[in-house]
Amino acid sequence: MAGDRTQSAPFLQVVRGDLSHEETAALVAVLTARARAVQAARERAAATGSRSGWSDRARLLGVPRPGPDSWRRSFHPG
């Protein structure tokens, strides 16, 4: 059964080495923190309505790119 976790394979399995309980706990903590950080980033992106670069209208303003004589391409009157 898909919903029955008691008969399924372990979620995390150490295939080489002999980890202590503390090392296993540290590994689980790091993996959990990473998963939560990814989830939080996804939620922030969904909440802010992040747009792709193609839909960003600021690119149409002709913002000068850094480089030699870039001041000539700016809106500076001088």
Side-chain angles (χ1 to χ4, degrees), residues 23-34:
E23 292 170 327
T24 304
L27 177 62
V28 170
V30 168
L31 294 175
T32 302
R34 176 69 180 138

Side-chain angles (χ1 to χ4, degrees), residues 2 9 18-19 22 32-35 37 39-41 43-44 47 49-50 57 59-61 65-66 68 70-71 76-77:
D18 188 25
L19 296 179
E22 292 83 9
T32 302
R34 176 69 180 138
Q39 182 63 29
E43 289 172 359
R44 277 193 309 273
S50 65
R57 306 283 295 174
R59 67 183 173 85
L60 300 175
L61 294 175
R65 304 284 186 254
S70 63
W71 63 271
H76 189 270

Side-chain angles (χ1 to χ4, degrees), residues 5-78:
R5 289 279 186 193
T6 59
Q7 299 297 326
S8 65
F11 180 73
L12 181 66
Q13 181 178 2
V14 178
V15 294
R16 191 177 289 181
D18 188 25
L19 296 179
S20 67
H21 293 296
E22 292 83 9
E23 292 170 327
T24 304
L27 177 62
V28 170
V30 168
L31 294 175
T32 302
R34 176 69 180 138
R36 287 182 179 168
V38 168
Q39 182 63 29
R42 287 181 182 157
E43 289 172 359
R44 277 193 309 273
T48 60
S50 65
R51 300 181 308 182
S52 70
W54 289 105
S55 63
D56 186 10
R57 306 283 295 174
R59 67 183 173 85
L60 300 175
L61 294 175
V63 178
R65 304 284 186 254
D69 295 328
S70 63
W71 63 271
R72 294 181 191 268
R73 295 185 301 269
S74 71
F75 297 112
H76 189 270

